[in-house]
Amino acid sequence: ALPISMFSFDQVIDRRGTQSVKWDDVERLFGHKDVWPMWVADMDFPAPKAVQEALQARIEHGIFGYTVIPDSLKEAVGEWLKRRHEWEIDPAWLVFAHGVVPAVAAAIEAFSDPGDRVVVFSPVYRPLFDLVRRHDRTLVLSPLRLTEDNYVIDWDDLERKLPGAKLLILCHPHNPGGKVWTKGELERLGELCFNHGVFVLSDEIHADLTFPPYRHIPFASLHPELAAQSATFRAPTKTFNLAGLQAAEAIIPDESRRRAFRRVQQRQGFFTLNAFAIAGAEAAYRHGEAWLDALLAYLQQNIDTTIAHLAAELPILRPIRPQATYLVWIDGRGLGLSEAELKKQLLEKGKIAVEFGSKFGAEGSGFLRLNVACPRSTLEEGLRRLVLALR
């Protein structure tokens, strides 16, 4: 891997005035201006040079007509999955979408009916709950158990709730906990879902952001029967900080399921990716690997900095070390504050915006999610404000 110093992760780039949700929308969302944004999951780092150059070349061509997804992009995705995750896919399994959330929405519509039971682990990324409810499905929550290190599945609870369910949505790696599900956990989950005829939607958007020695194992890679009984959703956007390009992949090995998914997309009028999404995604998968390895090393250092700083300055907060993602999930229940009090102190006293735990389900109450994907100086200022607010 190239040294971190080859890349500009320490460089602070002003994102204000670029229609950035993270920086430009903070006053509307949090009701305060001048708050330091360490909330929504995008990074304050420029995309890899190869991606910028591919987009520049596309701009210089000057014509931006209707697009078709080239085979070369499908090949780039397949080669990336084989190289990074030891998963060999058939390019025919790939369907592209504007994002993982729209793809999961299409899958819920394609693979279930109103009223059907959909099992979701909690706490979890909020849109996964919301999509189930908005499609008039019955949301069945299976709370995860928090151990000393991270979350584990409550197998007894899950076994009570799976019978009669149509779908299970797995957040893998887990957001907000940063947990990388183990092969044993995935196999047990797969066996239970297979036995109960439950189809698995595996949200693997953070897969590429897994820290060694942990390894991401795609759910569908475990067994051909589980591949047929699941759909996997992933994207270059989280990995390479390209969310604004709006590109994602659905990997659906079962042909009839894939057709059903495509029918929903067509009903919604979705046909292809935009010109920049195609160029950016392919460049990222073909040429972004050295950048990503350096990024992972830099993020590890930011996580170390965060955990050490809180241990020294505010030991009542208990951060969970993420095994993947650049999100640090912090147990603040020891403070004895209500969420309203916590919000007030962070926003008014510390002037810092984080994600508050209840957004991730009732099990998240009393927790905070901190985004550490930023230059070290940005992180240090955020940590200073966090301590100032809560000490």
Side-chain angles (χ1 to χ4, degrees):
L2 295 169
I4 295 174
S5 57
M6 293 276 297
F7 302 93
S8 52
F9 301 120
D10 277 326
Q11 183 192 358
V12 176
I13 297 172
D14 188 357
R15 297 183 63 190
R16 286 169 292 209
T18 63
Q19 301 79 51
S20 159
V21 168
K22 187 181 191 177
W23 288 84
D24 290 332
D25 213 22
V26 82
E27 185 178 358
R28 183 183 69 83
L29 292 166
F30 290 90
H32 293 265
K33 61 170 184 265
D34 306 328
V35 293
W36 206 245
M38 299 191 74
W39 61 294
V40 68
D42 81 2
M43 302 192 266
D44 291 330
F45 304 127
K49 275 280 181 284
V51 174
Q52 296 180 42
E53 286 163 6
L55 295 175
Q56 198 62 50
R58 191 66 194 80
I59 286 169
E60 282 166 9
H61 181 267
I63 299 175
F64 311 109
Y66 293 115
T67 54
V68 62
I69 291 167
D71 287 342
S72 58
L73 175 55
K74 294 177 184 177
E75 286 162 14
V77 173
E79 287 161 11
W80 181 266
L81 288 171
K82 189 177 176 183
R83 203 165 61 245
R84 298 290 293 193
H85 304 297
E86 296 172 25
W87 184 25
E88 205 151 345
I89 66 162
D90 181 337
W93 298 352
L94 279 168
V95 188
F96 291 87
H98 283 146
V100 163
V101 169
V104 172
I108 290 169
E109 195 174 318
F111 308 146
S112 65
D113 296 302
D116 280 348
R117 290 156 51 84
V118 180
V119 178
V120 183
F121 295 113
S122 176
V124 82
Y125 178 57
R126 175 64 178 259
L128 301 183
F129 301 138
D130 292 343
L131 292 174
V132 174
R133 293 194 183 106
R134 285 175 189 154
H135 283 83
D136 300 319
R137 278 36 172 188
T138 304
L139 180 64
V140 179
L141 293 176
S142 183
L144 297 168
R145 283 193 303 108
L146 185 58
T147 67
E148 197 55 40
D149 300 321
N150 212 301
Y151 285 101
V152 294
I153 292 167
D154 183 334
W155 296 105
D156 293 339
D157 182 77
L158 183 63
E159 287 191 50
R160 280 196 300 276
K161 288 169 178 173
L162 273 182
K166 184 65 77 75
L167 302 174
L168 176 138
I169 303 178
L170 176 65
C171 191
H172 169 43
H174 181 253
N175 170 13
K179 156 93 172 189
V180 175
W181 301 108
T182 64
K183 189 167 190 242
E185 288 169 319
L186 294 169
E187 282 174 339
R188 188 170 176 184
L189 179 65
E191 189 180 348
L192 282 171
C193 289
F194 187 80
N195 291 342
H196 289 290
V198 176
F199 193 83
V200 175
L201 307 181
S202 189
D203 167 5
E204 302 190 11
I205 196 168
H206 287 102
D208 296 328
L209 296 166
T210 298
F211 301 112
Y214 298 96
R215 197 169 82 75
H216 174 80
I217 300 166
F219 179 81
S221 71
L222 289 169
H223 198 280
E225 285 175 331
L226 295 182
Q229 186 90 3
S230 65
T232 301
F233 306 95
R234 37 165 300 118
T237 53
K238 197 66 70 183
T239 311
F240 299 102
N241 208 31
L242 308 174
L245 295 188
Q246 301 191 307
E249 309 109 34
I251 303 167
I252 310 172
D254 181 79
E255 194 186 345
S256 65
R257 296 272 187 180
R258 202 161 59 244
R259 278 201 305 268
F261 182 87
R262 281 213 168 98
R263 279 197 300 274
V264 170
Q265 284 194 321
Q266 284 157 355
R267 199 157 59 236
Q268 294 170 348
F270 176 86
F271 302 104
T272 188
L273 298 178
N274 72 66
F276 298 110
I278 292 169
E282 185 168 342
Y285 284 135
R286 290 206 185 279
H287 309 296
E289 197 153 18
W291 179 93
L292 175 60
D293 289 335
L295 171 78
L296 290 172
Y298 190 87
L299 292 175
Q300 282 272 43
Q301 292 172 6
N302 273 3
I303 289 162
D304 291 344
T305 298
T306 301
I307 289 171
H309 190 86
L310 294 179
E313 303 291 332
L314 206 60
I316 198 154
L317 292 184
R318 190 182 146 225
I320 294 168
R321 179 179 288 277
Q323 301 164 356
T325 83
Y326 46 72
L327 306 165
V328 181
W329 186 235
I330 299 170
D331 185 348
R333 291 174 298 181
L335 292 164
L337 299 173
S338 70
E339 191 160 289
E341 291 167 325
L342 199 54
K343 257 182 197 168
K344 190 174 161 64
Q345 285 189 213
L346 285 162
L347 291 169
E348 292 178 12
K349 200 172 158 197
K351 297 217 175 291
I352 178 172
V354 301
E355 297 279 18
F356 296 98
S358 65
K359 185 175 180 177
F360 302 87
E363 292 72 22
S365 288
F367 287 75
L368 308 170
R369 194 191 76 175
L370 191 74
N371 175 355
V372 301
C374 54
R376 192 83 20 88
S377 60
T378 305
L379 174 66
E380 284 164 355
E381 175 60 17
L383 293 172
R384 187 190 70 76
R385 290 173 182 237
L386 186 68
V387 169
L388 177 71
L390 298 177
R391 191 181 246 158

